[in-house]
Amino acid sequence: MIEAQANLLDNIDARTRLAGSNKMEILLFSLGTREIFGINVFKVREVSQTPKITRTPNMPTGVEGVISLRGNIIPVIALSQFMAGNQPKLDIKNSTMIVTEFSKHTQAFLVHEVDRIIRVDWDKVRAPESMLSGSQALITALTELPDGKLVSILDVEQILSGVLGEPEIPDLPSTTVSPDAYTFFADDSMVARKEIVGVLDKLGIKYHQANNGKEAWDKLQNLAQRATHDNEPLSTKLKLILVDAEMPEMDGYVLTRHIKSDRRFEGIPVVMHSSLSSHANRAMGASVGVDAYVAKFDPVVLADTVMPYITDRG
């Protein structure tokens, strides 16, 4: 099974055709119970049996130690530790390792067993119906298999921020912009939204926000209708749109395609702000017309990316 999954992952660059299709591929796995979990395949570099782990002192909660992977030392995180009270203790010697790469970090997640890769429509992926707390807050979305079983998609960004800590937002120079100017951003990750808000606040830039692509498109259409009613181009006030790549209901690629095909948004740049920073994902963004691509969780880079669009266009 692991070998089969590794072969599937070798073909990940060919998946750029998913851009604009509003589909995603999920790697299914378990943590030792009947509950099924999933992770976006684009975050996965490889799947293998767990090698010998070197335990080191003073490691954060959930980190079993480190391994050397092709000359790089990476942390090994037991996902079951973050689902305390719900999952049995993992047998590390017989566990499976999912090596993930996103937000410029590489780490390994230990799971009980990897199942298979499935393809689902983003509009079949929904956010949890209520605000979750504790370990359940690590579930960012839910989807359903053909047999009716639910798949809990983990917010691995939230897990990583819990292990490594959230980046501090340094002092940033405030920008000189029109008091009517603003940006718009869409992201389903609470960690990412917090970072974006912190950067924009320090830059002194107003903003509107949405928690997923469908909500973003509805709000953007309302803004465009208001601008049309006021008989002025939307670009006189809306200076920049930031979109996440993976969001429930409508992903960032479809959202970007909608924006770029609507003349009311002409002249407004779209920047993809994503933890998925591989060449394949950048190619996917370019194919739908993204103007720039910036990796998540680097506040300085985000600020440097945003400021030229805000200030140069006056």
Short mmCIF file of all heavy atoms in Angstrom, two decimals, residues 41-89:
data_model
loop_
_atom_site.label_atom_id
_atom_site.label_comp_id
_atom_site.label_asym_id
_atom_site.label_seq_id
_atom_site.Cartn_x
_atom_site.Cartn_y
_atom_site.Cartn_z
N VAL A 41 -3.12 16.30 -0.91
CA VAL A 41 -1.97 15.60 -1.49
C VAL A 41 -0.84 16.57 -1.82
O VAL A 41 0.34 16.20 -1.75
CB VAL A 41 -2.41 14.82 -2.75
CG1 VAL A 41 -1.20 14.35 -3.55
CG2 VAL A 41 -3.24 13.61 -2.34
N PHE A 42 -1.17 17.80 -2.19
CA PHE A 42 -0.13 18.74 -2.56
C PHE A 42 0.79 19.10 -1.40
O PHE A 42 1.86 19.67 -1.60
CB PHE A 42 -0.74 20.01 -3.14
CG PHE A 42 -1.03 19.90 -4.61
CD1 PHE A 42 -2.33 19.98 -5.07
CD2 PHE A 42 -0.02 19.70 -5.53
CE1 PHE A 42 -2.61 19.88 -6.42
CE2 PHE A 42 -0.29 19.59 -6.88
CZ PHE A 42 -1.59 19.68 -7.33
N LYS A 43 0.37 18.78 -0.17
CA LYS A 43 1.24 19.01 0.97
C LYS A 43 2.19 17.84 1.21
O LYS A 43 3.10 17.94 2.03
CB LYS A 43 0.40 19.24 2.24
CG LYS A 43 -0.30 20.58 2.32
CD LYS A 43 -0.97 20.72 3.68
CE LYS A 43 -1.43 22.16 3.93
NZ LYS A 43 -2.70 22.45 3.32
N VAL A 44 1.96 16.71 0.55
CA VAL A 44 2.68 15.47 0.84
C VAL A 44 3.84 15.27 -0.13
O VAL A 44 3.66 15.27 -1.34
CB VAL A 44 1.73 14.26 0.77
CG1 VAL A 44 2.48 12.97 1.10
CG2 VAL A 44 0.56 14.45 1.74
N ARG A 45 5.01 15.06 0.45
CA ARG A 45 6.18 14.77 -0.39
C ARG A 45 6.35 13.27 -0.60
O ARG A 45 6.65 12.81 -1.69
CB ARG A 45 7.46 15.33 0.27
CG ARG A 45 8.72 15.03 -0.55
CD ARG A 45 10.00 15.28 0.24
NE ARG A 45 10.25 16.70 0.39
CZ ARG A 45 11.35 17.18 0.96
NH1 ARG A 45 12.28 16.34 1.44
NH2 ARG A 45 11.54 18.48 1.06
N GLU A 46 6.18 12.49 0.46
CA GLU A 46 6.32 11.04 0.33
C GLU A 46 5.67 10.34 1.51
O GLU A 46 5.36 10.96 2.54
CB GLU A 46 7.79 10.63 0.24
CG GLU A 46 8.62 10.98 1.48
CD GLU A 46 10.09 10.62 1.30
OE1 GLU A 46 10.82 11.41 0.68
OE2 GLU A 46 10.48 9.54 1.80
N VAL A 47 5.44 9.04 1.35
CA VAL A 47 4.89 8.19 2.40
C VAL A 47 5.81 6.99 2.54
O VAL A 47 6.21 6.38 1.55
CB VAL A 47 3.46 7.71 2.04
CG1 VAL A 47 2.94 6.74 3.10
CG2 VAL A 47 2.51 8.90 1.88
N SER A 48 6.17 6.64 3.79
CA SER A 48 7.09 5.52 3.99
C SER A 48 6.91 4.94 5.38
O SER A 48 6.22 5.50 6.23
CB SER A 48 8.54 5.99 3.81
OG SER A 48 8.92 6.88 4.84
N GLN A 49 7.54 3.79 5.61
CA GLN A 49 7.61 3.25 6.95
C GLN A 49 8.47 4.18 7.81
O GLN A 49 9.36 4.86 7.30
CB GLN A 49 8.24 1.84 6.94
CG GLN A 49 7.38 0.80 6.25
CD GLN A 49 6.14 0.42 7.07
OE1 GLN A 49 6.01 0.83 8.21
NE2 GLN A 49 5.26 -0.35 6.48
N THR A 50 8.18 4.24 9.08
CA THR A 50 8.89 5.15 9.98
C THR A 50 10.30 4.63 10.26
O THR A 50 10.46 3.50 10.74
CB THR A 50 8.13 5.30 11.30
OG1 THR A 50 6.80 5.74 11.02
CG2 THR A 50 8.83 6.31 12.21
N PRO A 51 11.33 5.42 9.97
CA PRO A 51 12.70 5.00 10.29
C PRO A 51 12.99 5.23 11.77
O PRO A 51 12.12 5.66 12.54
CB PRO A 51 13.54 5.93 9.42
CG PRO A 51 12.73 7.19 9.35
CD PRO A 51 11.29 6.76 9.35
N LYS A 52 14.21 4.97 12.17
CA LYS A 52 14.61 5.20 13.55
C LYS A 52 14.57 6.69 13.85
O LYS A 52 15.10 7.50 13.10
CB LYS A 52 16.00 4.65 13.81
CG LYS A 52 16.46 4.82 15.25
CD LYS A 52 17.83 4.23 15.49
CE LYS A 52 18.27 4.42 16.94
NZ LYS A 52 19.63 3.87 17.20
N ILE A 53 13.92 7.01 14.96
CA ILE A 53 13.78 8.41 15.37
C ILE A 53 14.77 8.73 16.47
O ILE A 53 14.93 7.97 17.43
CB ILE A 53 12.34 8.69 15.86
CG1 ILE A 53 11.33 8.43 14.73
CG2 ILE A 53 12.21 10.12 16.37
CD1 ILE A 53 9.89 8.52 15.19
N THR A 54 15.47 9.83 16.32
CA THR A 54 16.42 10.28 17.34
C THR A 54 15.69 11.21 18.30
O THR A 54 15.18 12.27 17.90
CB THR A 54 17.60 11.02 16.71
OG1 THR A 54 18.28 10.16 15.79
CG2 THR A 54 18.58 11.49 17.79
N ARG A 55 15.62 10.81 19.53
CA ARG A 55 14.93 11.63 20.52
C ARG A 55 15.89 12.71 21.04
O ARG A 55 17.05 12.45 21.31
CB ARG A 55 14.43 10.77 21.69
CG ARG A 55 13.42 9.72 21.23
CD ARG A 55 12.80 8.99 22.41
NE ARG A 55 11.85 7.98 21.97
CZ ARG A 55 10.58 8.23 21.66
NH1 ARG A 55 10.13 9.47 21.76
NH2 ARG A 55 9.77 7.26 21.26
N THR A 56 15.37 13.91 21.15
CA THR A 56 16.17 15.03 21.61
C THR A 56 15.45 15.69 22.78
O THR A 56 14.21 15.64 22.87
CB THR A 56 16.39 16.06 20.49
OG1 THR A 56 15.11 16.50 20.01
CG2 THR A 56 17.18 15.46 19.34
N PRO A 57 16.21 16.33 23.68
CA PRO A 57 15.57 16.94 24.85
C PRO A 57 14.80 18.21 24.49
O PRO A 57 15.06 18.85 23.46
CB PRO A 57 16.76 17.26 25.76
CG PRO A 57 17.92 17.41 24.81
CD PRO A 57 17.67 16.43 23.71
N ASN A 58 13.85 18.54 25.34
CA ASN A 58 13.11 19.80 25.25
C ASN A 58 12.36 19.97 23.94
O ASN A 58 12.25 21.09 23.41
CB ASN A 58 14.06 20.99 25.46
CG ASN A 58 14.81 20.92 26.78
OD1 ASN A 58 14.23 20.56 27.81
ND2 ASN A 58 16.09 21.23 26.76
N MET A 59 11.83 18.88 23.41
CA MET A 59 11.04 18.97 22.18
C MET A 59 9.61 19.40 22.52
O MET A 59 9.09 19.07 23.59
CB MET A 59 11.01 17.62 21.46
CG MET A 59 12.37 17.16 20.95
SD MET A 59 13.11 18.29 19.74
CE MET A 59 12.08 17.95 18.31
N PRO A 60 8.97 20.15 21.64
CA PRO A 60 7.58 20.56 21.90
C PRO A 60 6.64 19.35 22.00
O PRO A 60 6.95 18.26 21.52
CB PRO A 60 7.23 21.41 20.67
CG PRO A 60 8.55 21.82 20.09
CD PRO A 60 9.50 20.70 20.40
N THR A 61 5.48 19.56 22.60
CA THR A 61 4.48 18.50 22.73
C THR A 61 4.12 17.92 21.38
O THR A 61 3.87 18.66 20.43
CB THR A 61 3.21 19.05 23.40
OG1 THR A 61 3.55 19.57 24.68
CG2 THR A 61 2.17 17.96 23.55
N GLY A 62 4.10 16.60 21.31
CA GLY A 62 3.73 15.95 20.07
C GLY A 62 4.89 15.60 19.16
O GLY A 62 4.74 14.82 18.23
N VAL A 63 6.06 16.18 19.43
CA VAL A 63 7.23 15.90 18.61
C VAL A 63 7.99 14.73 19.23
O VAL A 63 8.47 14.82 20.36
CB VAL A 63 8.15 17.14 18.49
CG1 VAL A 63 9.39 16.80 17.67
CG2 VAL A 63 7.39 18.29 17.84
N GLU A 64 8.06 13.63 18.48
CA GLU A 64 8.71 12.42 19.00
C GLU A 64 10.23 12.49 18.91
O GLU A 64 10.93 11.75 19.59
CB GLU A 64 8.22 11.20 18.21
CG GLU A 64 6.74 10.91 18.38
CD GLU A 64 6.41 10.49 19.80
OE1 GLU A 64 7.27 9.88 20.47
OE2 GLU A 64 5.29 10.78 20.25
N GLY A 65 10.75 13.35 18.07
CA GLY A 65 12.19 13.47 17.86
C GLY A 65 12.45 13.97 16.46
O GLY A 65 11.61 14.65 15.86
N VAL A 66 13.62 13.63 15.93
CA VAL A 66 13.98 14.07 14.59
C VAL A 66 14.53 12.89 13.80
O VAL A 66 14.94 11.87 14.36
CB VAL A 66 15.04 15.20 14.63
CG1 VAL A 66 14.49 16.43 15.34
CG2 VAL A 66 16.32 14.72 15.31
N ILE A 67 14.51 13.04 12.48
CA ILE A 67 15.15 12.07 11.59
C ILE A 67 15.99 12.82 10.58
O ILE A 67 15.79 14.03 10.35
CB ILE A 67 14.11 11.19 10.85
CG1 ILE A 67 13.20 12.07 9.96
CG2 ILE A 67 13.30 10.36 11.82
CD1 ILE A 67 12.32 11.28 9.02
N SER A 68 16.92 12.12 9.97
CA SER A 68 17.69 12.68 8.87
C SER A 68 17.09 12.19 7.56
O SER A 68 17.01 10.99 7.32
CB SER A 68 19.16 12.25 8.97
OG SER A 68 19.90 12.73 7.85
N LEU A 69 16.63 13.12 6.75
CA LEU A 69 16.01 12.77 5.48
C LEU A 69 16.78 13.46 4.36
O LEU A 69 16.73 14.67 4.20
CB LEU A 69 14.54 13.21 5.46
CG LEU A 69 13.75 12.81 4.21
CD1 LEU A 69 13.56 11.30 4.15
CD2 LEU A 69 12.41 13.52 4.18
N ARG A 70 17.54 12.66 3.59
CA ARG A 70 18.36 13.17 2.51
C ARG A 70 19.23 14.34 2.94
O ARG A 70 19.34 15.36 2.29
CB ARG A 70 17.48 13.58 1.34
CG ARG A 70 16.65 12.40 0.80
CD ARG A 70 15.91 12.78 -0.45
NE ARG A 70 14.68 12.17 -0.79
CZ ARG A 70 13.94 11.27 -0.17
NH1 ARG A 70 14.31 10.80 0.97
NH2 ARG A 70 12.82 10.83 -0.63
N GLY A 71 19.83 14.16 4.11
CA GLY A 71 20.77 15.15 4.62
C GLY A 71 20.14 16.28 5.41
O GLY A 71 20.84 17.13 5.95
N ASN A 72 18.82 16.30 5.50
CA ASN A 72 18.13 17.34 6.25
C ASN A 72 17.54 16.77 7.53
O ASN A 72 16.98 15.68 7.53
CB ASN A 72 17.01 17.96 5.41
CG ASN A 72 17.52 18.67 4.18
OD1 ASN A 72 18.48 19.43 4.25
ND2 ASN A 72 16.90 18.41 3.04
N ILE A 73 17.68 17.49 8.63
CA ILE A 73 17.10 17.09 9.91
C ILE A 73 15.70 17.68 10.01
O ILE A 73 15.52 18.90 9.94
CB ILE A 73 17.97 17.57 11.08
CG1 ILE A 73 19.40 17.06 10.94
CG2 ILE A 73 17.37 17.11 12.40
CD1 ILE A 73 19.52 15.55 10.91
N ILE A 74 14.69 16.80 10.16
CA ILE A 74 13.31 17.28 10.22
C ILE A 74 12.62 16.71 11.46
O ILE A 74 12.95 15.61 11.92
CB ILE A 74 12.51 16.90 8.96
CG1 ILE A 74 12.35 15.38 8.83
CG2 ILE A 74 13.19 17.46 7.71
CD1 ILE A 74 11.42 14.97 7.70
N PRO A 75 11.68 17.47 12.02
CA PRO A 75 10.95 16.98 13.20
C PRO A 75 9.93 15.90 12.81
O PRO A 75 9.37 15.92 11.70
CB PRO A 75 10.26 18.22 13.74
CG PRO A 75 10.07 19.10 12.54
CD PRO A 75 11.27 18.84 11.66
N VAL A 76 9.69 14.99 13.74
CA VAL A 76 8.70 13.93 13.54
C VAL A 76 7.58 14.15 14.54
O VAL A 76 7.80 14.14 15.75
CB VAL A 76 9.34 12.54 13.74
CG1 VAL A 76 8.29 11.46 13.53
CG2 VAL A 76 10.51 12.34 12.78
N ILE A 77 6.38 14.36 14.02
CA ILE A 77 5.24 14.76 14.84
C ILE A 77 4.21 13.64 14.88
O ILE A 77 3.78 13.16 13.83
CB ILE A 77 4.60 16.04 14.27
CG1 ILE A 77 5.65 17.18 14.23
CG2 ILE A 77 3.38 16.46 15.08
CD1 ILE A 77 5.21 18.37 13.40
N ALA A 78 3.83 13.22 16.07
CA ALA A 78 2.79 12.20 16.23
C ALA A 78 1.43 12.90 16.25
O ALA A 78 1.08 13.56 17.21
CB ALA A 78 3.01 11.42 17.51
N LEU A 79 0.68 12.77 15.16
CA LEU A 79 -0.59 13.48 15.06
C LEU A 79 -1.56 13.09 16.17
O LEU A 79 -2.37 13.90 16.61
CB LEU A 79 -1.23 13.22 13.70
CG LEU A 79 -0.62 13.96 12.51
CD1 LEU A 79 -1.40 13.65 11.25
CD2 LEU A 79 -0.58 15.47 12.75
N SER A 80 -1.49 11.83 16.62
CA SER A 80 -2.43 11.38 17.66
C SER A 80 -2.27 12.18 18.94
O SER A 80 -3.22 12.31 19.72
CB SER A 80 -2.24 9.89 17.94
OG SER A 80 -0.91 9.63 18.37
N GLN A 81 -1.09 12.74 19.18
CA GLN A 81 -0.86 13.53 20.38
C GLN A 81 -1.68 14.81 20.38
O GLN A 81 -1.96 15.39 21.43
CB GLN A 81 0.63 13.86 20.53
CG GLN A 81 1.52 12.65 20.78
CD GLN A 81 1.18 11.96 22.09
OE1 GLN A 81 1.12 12.60 23.12
NE2 GLN A 81 0.92 10.67 22.02
N PHE A 82 -2.03 15.29 19.18
CA PHE A 82 -2.82 16.51 19.08
C PHE A 82 -4.31 16.24 19.16
O PHE A 82 -5.10 17.16 19.25
CB PHE A 82 -2.48 17.23 17.76
CG PHE A 82 -1.11 17.81 17.75
CD1 PHE A 82 -0.04 17.07 17.31
CD2 PHE A 82 -0.88 19.10 18.20
CE1 PHE A 82 1.25 17.58 17.30
CE2 PHE A 82 0.40 19.63 18.20
CZ PHE A 82 1.46 18.87 17.76
N MET A 83 -4.67 14.97 19.10
CA MET A 83 -6.07 14.58 19.20
C MET A 83 -6.29 13.89 20.54
O MET A 83 -6.92 12.85 20.64
CB MET A 83 -6.46 13.66 18.04
CG MET A 83 -6.04 14.17 16.68
SD MET A 83 -6.77 15.78 16.27
CE MET A 83 -8.47 15.30 16.00
N ALA A 84 -5.73 14.44 21.58
CA ALA A 84 -5.74 13.82 22.90
C ALA A 84 -7.16 13.46 23.33
O ALA A 84 -8.10 14.24 23.16
CB ALA A 84 -5.11 14.77 23.92
N GLY A 85 -7.28 12.26 23.89
CA GLY A 85 -8.56 11.80 24.40
C GLY A 85 -9.40 11.08 23.36
O GLY A 85 -10.34 10.38 23.69
N ASN A 86 -9.03 11.24 22.08
CA ASN A 86 -9.81 10.61 21.02
C ASN A 86 -9.08 9.45 20.35
O ASN A 86 -9.71 8.58 19.77
CB ASN A 86 -10.15 11.65 19.94
CG ASN A 86 -11.02 12.77 20.47
OD1 ASN A 86 -11.84 12.54 21.34
ND2 ASN A 86 -10.82 13.97 19.97
N GLN A 87 -7.77 9.46 20.44
CA GLN A 87 -6.99 8.48 19.69
C GLN A 87 -6.14 7.63 20.63
O GLN A 87 -5.64 8.11 21.64
CB GLN A 87 -6.06 9.20 18.68
CG GLN A 87 -6.76 10.26 17.84
CD GLN A 87 -7.89 9.71 17.02
OE1 GLN A 87 -7.84 8.58 16.55
NE2 GLN A 87 -8.94 10.51 16.84
N PRO A 88 -5.96 6.35 20.30
CA PRO A 88 -5.08 5.50 21.12
C PRO A 88 -3.63 5.90 20.92
O PRO A 88 -3.27 6.56 19.95
CB PRO A 88 -5.35 4.10 20.56
CG PRO A 88 -5.75 4.34 19.14
CD PRO A 88 -6.53 5.63 19.14
N LYS A 89 -2.79 5.52 21.87
CA LYS A 89 -1.37 5.81 21.75
C LYS A 89 -0.80 5.08 20.54
O LYS A 89 -1.06 3.90 20.32
CB LYS A 89 -0.63 5.38 23.02
CG LYS A 89 0.86 5.75 23.00
CD LYS A 89 1.49 5.46 24.34
CE LYS A 89 2.99 5.75 24.31
NZ LYS A 89 3.28 7.14 23.96
#
